[in-house]
mmCIF file of all heavy atoms in Angstrom:
data_model
loop_
_atom_site.group_PDB
_atom_site.id
_atom_site.type_symbol
_atom_site.label_atom_id
_atom_site.label_comp_id
_atom_site.label_asym_id
_atom_site.label_seq_id
_atom_site.Cartn_x
_atom_site.Cartn_y
_atom_site.Cartn_z
ATOM 1 N N ARG A 32 -11.718 13.032 2.240
ATOM 2 C CA ARG A 32 -12.807 12.555 3.314
ATOM 3 C C ARG A 32 -12.408 11.060 3.593
ATOM 4 O O ARG A 32 -11.994 10.372 2.724
ATOM 5 C CB ARG A 32 -14.143 12.739 2.848
ATOM 6 C CG ARG A 32 -14.514 11.612 1.853
ATOM 7 C CD ARG A 32 -15.471 11.937 0.860
ATOM 8 N NE ARG A 32 -15.715 10.804 -0.022
ATOM 9 C CZ ARG A 32 -14.817 10.332 -0.921
ATOM 10 N NH1 ARG A 32 -13.696 10.911 -0.969
ATOM 11 N NH2 ARG A 32 -15.106 9.284 -1.658
ATOM 12 N N ALA A 35 -17.998 8.451 3.221
ATOM 13 C CA ALA A 35 -19.203 9.196 3.151
ATOM 14 C C ALA A 35 -19.903 9.155 4.503
ATOM 15 O O ALA A 35 -19.519 8.337 5.400
ATOM 16 C CB ALA A 35 -20.108 8.695 2.010
ATOM 17 N N GLY A 39 -26.266 8.002 8.525
ATOM 18 C CA GLY A 39 -27.109 8.962 9.400
ATOM 19 C C GLY A 39 -26.413 9.474 10.741
ATOM 20 O O GLY A 39 -26.944 10.191 11.328
ATOM 21 N N GLN A 55 -22.114 0.514 19.937
ATOM 22 C CA GLN A 55 -23.167 -0.310 19.364
ATOM 23 C C GLN A 55 -22.604 -1.477 18.524
ATOM 24 O O GLN A 55 -22.699 -1.457 17.311
ATOM 25 C CB GLN A 55 -24.086 0.522 18.442
ATOM 26 C CG GLN A 55 -24.484 1.857 18.984
ATOM 27 C CD GLN A 55 -25.227 1.748 20.303
ATOM 28 O OE1 GLN A 55 -25.789 0.598 20.653
ATOM 29 N NE2 GLN A 55 -25.316 2.702 21.099
ATOM 30 N N PRO A 79 -2.647 -0.632 1.685
ATOM 31 C CA PRO A 79 -3.341 -1.970 1.827
ATOM 32 C C PRO A 79 -3.506 -2.404 3.197
ATOM 33 O O PRO A 79 -4.130 -3.443 3.393
ATOM 34 C CB PRO A 79 -2.520 -2.858 0.865
ATOM 35 C CG PRO A 79 -1.226 -2.272 0.947
ATOM 36 C CD PRO A 79 -1.255 -0.845 1.169
ATOM 37 N N ASN A 130 -30.594 -6.987 -2.652
ATOM 38 C CA ASN A 130 -31.187 -5.640 -2.887
ATOM 39 C C ASN A 130 -30.845 -5.182 -4.272
ATOM 40 O O ASN A 130 -29.795 -4.702 -4.545
ATOM 41 C CB ASN A 130 -30.621 -4.699 -1.891
ATOM 42 C CG ASN A 130 -31.094 -3.321 -2.103
ATOM 43 O OD1 ASN A 130 -31.961 -2.949 -2.930
ATOM 44 N ND2 ASN A 130 -30.441 -2.310 -1.350
ATOM 45 N N TYR A 132 -31.496 -2.676 -5.872
ATOM 46 C CA TYR A 132 -31.263 -1.274 -6.016
ATOM 47 C C TYR A 132 -29.999 -0.742 -5.420
ATOM 48 O O TYR A 132 -29.655 0.423 -5.525
ATOM 49 C CB TYR A 132 -32.395 -0.515 -5.403
ATOM 50 C CG TYR A 132 -33.754 -0.647 -5.998
ATOM 51 C CD1 TYR A 132 -34.585 -1.671 -5.655
ATOM 52 C CD2 TYR A 132 -34.238 0.193 -7.027
ATOM 53 C CE1 TYR A 132 -35.891 -1.838 -6.239
ATOM 54 C CE2 TYR A 132 -35.400 0.082 -7.635
ATOM 55 C CZ TYR A 132 -36.218 -0.996 -7.193
ATOM 56 O OH TYR A 132 -37.456 -1.206 -7.846
ATOM 57 N N GLU A 146 -12.765 -5.695 -15.300
ATOM 58 C CA GLU A 146 -11.366 -6.287 -15.100
ATOM 59 C C GLU A 146 -11.333 -7.583 -15.769
ATOM 60 O O GLU A 146 -10.240 -7.982 -16.207
ATOM 61 C CB GLU A 146 -11.119 -6.319 -13.643
ATOM 62 C CG GLU A 146 -10.974 -4.951 -12.823
ATOM 63 C CD GLU A 146 -9.924 -4.110 -13.510
ATOM 64 O OE1 GLU A 146 -8.947 -4.641 -14.024
ATOM 65 O OE2 GLU A 146 -10.009 -2.862 -13.448
ATOM 66 N N VAL A 163 -31.381 2.748 -12.479
ATOM 67 C CA VAL A 163 -32.045 2.788 -11.169
ATOM 68 C C VAL A 163 -31.393 3.685 -10.123
ATOM 69 O O VAL A 163 -32.179 4.100 -9.179
ATOM 70 C CB VAL A 163 -32.046 1.263 -10.607
ATOM 71 C CG1 VAL A 163 -32.987 0.432 -11.509
ATOM 72 C CG2 VAL A 163 -30.745 0.774 -10.355
ATOM 73 N N ARG A 164 -30.118 3.959 -10.191
ATOM 74 C CA ARG A 164 -29.542 4.745 -9.260
ATOM 75 C C ARG A 164 -28.409 5.516 -9.761
ATOM 76 O O ARG A 164 -27.133 5.241 -9.616
ATOM 77 C CB ARG A 164 -29.109 3.877 -8.015
ATOM 78 C CG ARG A 164 -28.579 4.599 -6.740
ATOM 79 C CD ARG A 164 -29.665 5.544 -6.190
ATOM 80 N NE ARG A 164 -29.368 5.967 -4.914
ATOM 81 C CZ ARG A 164 -28.836 7.012 -4.490
ATOM 82 N NH1 ARG A 164 -28.435 7.863 -5.476
ATOM 83 N NH2 ARG A 164 -28.729 7.416 -3.272
ATOM 84 N N ARG A 188 -18.410 12.893 -22.122
ATOM 85 C CA ARG A 188 -19.690 13.521 -21.758
ATOM 86 C C ARG A 188 -20.232 12.954 -20.350
ATOM 87 O O ARG A 188 -20.611 13.777 -19.476
ATOM 88 C CB ARG A 188 -20.667 13.121 -22.876
ATOM 89 C CG ARG A 188 -22.103 13.726 -22.519
ATOM 90 C CD ARG A 188 -23.192 13.224 -23.531
ATOM 91 N NE ARG A 188 -23.705 11.872 -23.136
ATOM 92 C CZ ARG A 188 -24.599 11.668 -22.228
ATOM 93 N NH1 ARG A 188 -25.193 12.590 -21.615
ATOM 94 N NH2 ARG A 188 -25.010 10.340 -21.936
ATOM 95 N N GLN A 209 -9.345 11.366 -14.582
ATOM 96 C CA GLN A 209 -9.960 10.529 -15.771
ATOM 97 C C GLN A 209 -10.049 11.332 -17.060
ATOM 98 O O GLN A 209 -9.831 10.992 -18.057
ATOM 99 C CB GLN A 209 -11.281 9.962 -15.341
ATOM 100 C CG GLN A 209 -11.217 9.013 -14.158
ATOM 101 C CD GLN A 209 -10.002 8.135 -14.226
ATOM 102 O OE1 GLN A 209 -9.623 7.596 -15.187
ATOM 103 N NE2 GLN A 209 -9.405 8.045 -13.055
ATOM 104 N N GLN A 272 4.847 0.071 -10.865
ATOM 105 C CA GLN A 272 4.561 0.883 -12.040
ATOM 106 C C GLN A 272 5.256 2.259 -11.945
ATOM 107 O O GLN A 272 5.771 2.869 -12.961
ATOM 108 C CB GLN A 272 3.032 1.010 -12.189
ATOM 109 C CG GLN A 272 2.443 2.202 -11.638
ATOM 110 C CD GLN A 272 1.183 1.920 -11.019
ATOM 111 O OE1 GLN A 272 0.943 1.033 -10.187
ATOM 112 N NE2 GLN A 272 0.145 2.785 -11.318
ATOM 113 N N TYR A 277 9.721 5.799 -13.487
ATOM 114 C CA TYR A 277 10.838 6.635 -13.079
ATOM 115 C C TYR A 277 12.172 6.207 -13.676
ATOM 116 O O TYR A 277 12.835 6.985 -14.369
ATOM 117 C CB TYR A 277 10.989 6.569 -11.554
ATOM 118 C CG TYR A 277 12.003 7.495 -10.969
ATOM 119 C CD1 TYR A 277 12.390 8.762 -11.548
ATOM 120 C CD2 TYR A 277 12.557 7.204 -9.685
ATOM 121 C CE1 TYR A 277 13.244 9.622 -10.934
ATOM 122 C CE2 TYR A 277 13.508 8.135 -9.181
ATOM 123 C CZ TYR A 277 13.905 9.265 -9.736
ATOM 124 O OH TYR A 277 14.759 10.132 -9.190
ATOM 125 N N GLU A 289 21.298 4.768 -12.963
ATOM 126 C CA GLU A 289 20.234 5.061 -11.985
ATOM 127 C C GLU A 289 19.029 4.424 -12.334
ATOM 128 O O GLU A 289 18.211 3.827 -11.425
ATOM 129 C CB GLU A 289 20.029 6.551 -11.940
ATOM 130 C CG GLU A 289 21.230 7.283 -11.295
ATOM 131 C CD GLU A 289 21.055 8.830 -11.591
ATOM 132 O OE1 GLU A 289 20.290 9.446 -10.824
ATOM 133 O OE2 GLU A 289 21.686 9.322 -12.431
ATOM 134 N N ILE A 303 9.685 -10.216 -3.419
ATOM 135 C CA ILE A 303 9.277 -10.174 -2.111
ATOM 136 C C ILE A 303 7.720 -10.409 -1.882
ATOM 137 O O ILE A 303 7.206 -11.146 -1.149
ATOM 138 C CB ILE A 303 9.672 -8.887 -1.269
ATOM 139 C CG1 ILE A 303 11.158 -8.876 -1.130
ATOM 140 C CG2 ILE A 303 8.984 -8.825 0.064
ATOM 141 C CD1 ILE A 303 11.746 -7.466 -0.650
ATOM 142 N N ASP A 310 0.607 -12.704 -6.028
ATOM 143 C CA ASP A 310 1.015 -12.841 -7.419
ATOM 144 C C ASP A 310 1.481 -11.606 -7.980
ATOM 145 O O ASP A 310 1.041 -10.480 -7.581
ATOM 146 C CB ASP A 310 -0.121 -13.359 -8.269
ATOM 147 C CG ASP A 310 -0.385 -14.785 -7.800
ATOM 148 O OD1 ASP A 310 0.513 -15.623 -7.691
ATOM 149 O OD2 ASP A 310 -1.661 -15.107 -7.634
ATOM 150 N N PRO B 2 17.287 11.610 -7.751
ATOM 151 C CA PRO B 2 16.609 10.331 -7.369
ATOM 152 C C PRO B 2 16.638 10.043 -5.909
ATOM 153 O O PRO B 2 17.648 10.460 -5.148
ATOM 154 C CB PRO B 2 17.413 9.358 -8.171
ATOM 155 C CG PRO B 2 18.208 10.095 -9.178
ATOM 156 C CD PRO B 2 18.444 11.389 -8.575
ATOM 157 N N LEU B 25 5.766 -6.909 4.631
ATOM 158 C CA LEU B 25 4.853 -7.294 3.495
ATOM 159 C C LEU B 25 3.953 -8.470 3.889
ATOM 160 O O LEU B 25 2.898 -8.581 3.395
ATOM 161 C CB LEU B 25 5.732 -7.711 2.312
ATOM 162 C CG LEU B 25 6.256 -6.623 1.503
ATOM 163 C CD1 LEU B 25 7.356 -7.133 0.437
ATOM 164 C CD2 LEU B 25 5.141 -5.922 0.748
ATOM 165 N N GLY B 32 1.387 -6.798 3.247
ATOM 166 C CA GLY B 32 1.051 -5.479 3.654
ATOM 167 C C GLY B 32 1.183 -4.474 2.494
ATOM 168 O O GLY B 32 0.204 -3.955 1.941
ATOM 169 N N PRO B 35 2.553 -5.025 -4.421
ATOM 170 C CA PRO B 35 2.381 -4.295 -5.673
ATOM 171 C C PRO B 35 0.836 -4.490 -6.181
ATOM 172 O O PRO B 35 0.287 -3.582 -6.857
ATOM 173 C CB PRO B 35 3.276 -4.825 -6.663
ATOM 174 C CG PRO B 35 3.786 -6.190 -6.019
ATOM 175 C CD PRO B 35 3.620 -5.980 -4.563
ATOM 176 N N ARG B 36 0.332 -5.647 -5.931
ATOM 177 C CA ARG B 36 -0.991 -5.953 -6.494
ATOM 178 C C ARG B 36 -2.040 -4.893 -5.913
ATOM 179 O O ARG B 36 -3.040 -4.730 -6.612
ATOM 180 C CB ARG B 36 -1.423 -7.289 -6.222
ATOM 181 C CG ARG B 36 -0.721 -8.355 -6.998
ATOM 182 C CD ARG B 36 -0.943 -9.685 -6.482
ATOM 183 N NE ARG B 36 -2.414 -9.974 -6.369
ATOM 184 C CZ ARG B 36 -3.190 -10.269 -7.440
ATOM 185 N NH1 ARG B 36 -2.583 -10.205 -8.638
ATOM 186 N NH2 ARG B 36 -4.356 -10.542 -7.273
ATOM 187 N N THR B 39 -2.558 1.373 -6.760
ATOM 188 C CA THR B 39 -3.463 1.885 -7.851
ATOM 189 C C THR B 39 -2.665 1.505 -9.052
ATOM 190 O O THR B 39 -1.472 1.595 -9.093
ATOM 191 C CB THR B 39 -3.615 3.369 -7.717
ATOM 192 O OG1 THR B 39 -2.308 3.966 -7.459
ATOM 193 C CG2 THR B 39 -4.417 3.820 -6.622
ATOM 194 N N SER B 42 -4.008 -0.889 -14.775
ATOM 195 C CA SER B 42 -4.793 -2.027 -15.190
ATOM 196 C C SER B 42 -6.043 -2.266 -14.297
ATOM 197 O O SER B 42 -6.857 -3.014 -14.547
ATOM 198 C CB SER B 42 -3.864 -3.314 -15.060
ATOM 199 O OG SER B 42 -3.565 -3.444 -13.610
ATOM 200 N N ARG B 44 -8.511 0.294 -12.552
ATOM 201 C CA ARG B 44 -8.963 1.654 -12.258
ATOM 202 C C ARG B 44 -9.860 1.619 -11.100
ATOM 203 O O ARG B 44 -10.891 1.036 -11.123
ATOM 204 C CB ARG B 44 -9.558 2.360 -13.445
ATOM 205 C CG ARG B 44 -9.659 3.819 -13.242
ATOM 206 C CD ARG B 44 -10.276 4.495 -14.347
ATOM 207 N NE ARG B 44 -9.226 4.512 -15.538
ATOM 208 C CZ ARG B 44 -9.461 5.107 -16.667
ATOM 209 N NH1 ARG B 44 -10.541 5.869 -16.820
ATOM 210 N NH2 ARG B 44 -8.724 4.931 -17.649
ATOM 211 N N ILE B 49 -17.531 5.184 -2.471
ATOM 212 C CA ILE B 49 -18.346 6.085 -1.696
ATOM 213 C C ILE B 49 -18.399 7.488 -2.228
ATOM 214 O O ILE B 49 -17.224 7.911 -2.518
ATOM 215 C CB ILE B 49 -17.896 6.158 -0.242
ATOM 216 C CG1 ILE B 49 -17.761 4.667 0.322
ATOM 217 C CG2 ILE B 49 -18.794 6.974 0.687
ATOM 218 C CD1 ILE B 49 -17.154 4.707 1.693
ATOM 219 N N PHE B 81 -27.611 16.951 8.141
ATOM 220 C CA PHE B 81 -26.410 17.066 9.030
ATOM 221 C C PHE B 81 -25.418 18.146 8.362
ATOM 222 O O PHE B 81 -24.286 17.935 8.369
ATOM 223 C CB PHE B 81 -25.588 15.797 9.084
ATOM 224 C CG PHE B 81 -26.379 14.826 10.054
ATOM 225 C CD1 PHE B 81 -26.815 13.553 9.574
ATOM 226 C CD2 PHE B 81 -26.670 15.065 11.304
ATOM 227 C CE1 PHE B 81 -27.534 12.703 10.300
ATOM 228 C CE2 PHE B 81 -27.311 14.232 12.058
ATOM 229 C CZ PHE B 81 -27.761 12.966 11.596
ATOM 230 N N ASP B 96 -28.698 18.622 -10.834
ATOM 231 C CA ASP B 96 -29.224 17.580 -11.742
ATOM 232 C C ASP B 96 -30.292 16.783 -11.122
ATOM 233 O O ASP B 96 -30.487 15.586 -11.465
ATOM 234 C CB ASP B 96 -28.051 16.684 -12.181
ATOM 235 C CG ASP B 96 -27.363 16.024 -10.989
ATOM 236 O OD1 ASP B 96 -27.563 16.371 -9.844
ATOM 237 O OD2 ASP B 96 -26.522 15.198 -11.222
ATOM 238 N N TYR B 224 -30.383 -0.749 22.416
ATOM 239 C CA TYR B 224 -29.251 -1.713 22.481
ATOM 240 C C TYR B 224 -28.780 -2.011 23.921
ATOM 241 O O TYR B 224 -27.780 -2.746 24.134
ATOM 242 C CB TYR B 224 -28.100 -1.014 21.791
ATOM 243 C CG TYR B 224 -28.179 -0.771 20.309
ATOM 244 C CD1 TYR B 224 -28.379 0.484 19.849
ATOM 245 C CD2 TYR B 224 -28.069 -1.897 19.481
ATOM 246 C CE1 TYR B 224 -28.358 0.584 18.530
ATOM 247 C CE2 TYR B 224 -28.069 -1.574 18.077
ATOM 248 C CZ TYR B 224 -28.292 -0.334 17.564
ATOM 249 O OH TYR B 224 -28.294 -0.117 16.280
ATOM 250 N N ALA B 272 -27.226 9.250 -16.768
ATOM 251 C CA ALA B 272 -26.434 9.531 -17.904
ATOM 252 C C ALA B 272 -27.309 9.234 -19.213
ATOM 253 O O ALA B 272 -26.867 9.876 -20.243
ATOM 254 C CB ALA B 272 -25.252 8.546 -17.978
ATOM 255 N N ASP B 298 -34.413 0.640 -0.220
ATOM 256 C CA ASP B 298 -34.194 1.233 -1.568
ATOM 257 C C ASP B 298 -35.286 0.925 -2.629
ATOM 258 O O ASP B 298 -35.641 1.924 -3.354
ATOM 259 C CB ASP B 298 -32.886 0.456 -2.204
ATOM 260 C CG ASP B 298 -31.638 0.881 -1.423
ATOM 261 O OD1 ASP B 298 -31.705 1.934 -0.692
ATOM 262 O OD2 ASP B 298 -30.602 0.330 -1.656
ATOM 263 N N SER B 514 -30.724 4.547 -1.437
ATOM 264 C CA SER B 514 -31.937 4.414 -2.323
ATOM 265 C C SER B 514 -31.527 4.076 -3.712
ATOM 266 O O SER B 514 -30.430 4.062 -4.256
ATOM 267 C CB SER B 514 -32.784 5.627 -2.225
ATOM 268 O OG SER B 514 -31.926 6.665 -2.593
ATOM 269 N N ALA B 515 -32.500 3.689 -4.445
ATOM 270 C CA ALA B 515 -32.372 3.454 -5.883
ATOM 271 C C ALA B 515 -33.582 4.118 -6.465
ATOM 272 O O ALA B 515 -34.539 4.491 -5.798
ATOM 273 C CB ALA B 515 -32.382 1.957 -6.097
ATOM 274 N N GLY B 516 -33.581 4.121 -7.786
ATOM 275 C CA GLY B 516 -34.722 4.861 -8.325
ATOM 276 C C GLY B 516 -35.325 4.122 -9.500
ATOM 277 O O GLY B 516 -34.965 2.985 -9.748
#
Side-chain angles (χ1 to χ4, degrees):
Chain A
R32 81 205 176 294
Q55 313 301 340
N130 178 6
Y132 295 87
E146 296 302 332
V163 297
R164 189 60 163 97
R188 184 187 77 84
Q209 299 321 314
Q272 96 219 48
Y277 186 29
E289 292 167 80
I303 293 175
D310 294 315
Chain B
L25 280 169
R36 287 168 54 77
T39 52
S42 63
R44 191 176 296 187
I49 305 174
F81 291 121
D96 57 354
Y224 293 108
D298 288 348
S514 56

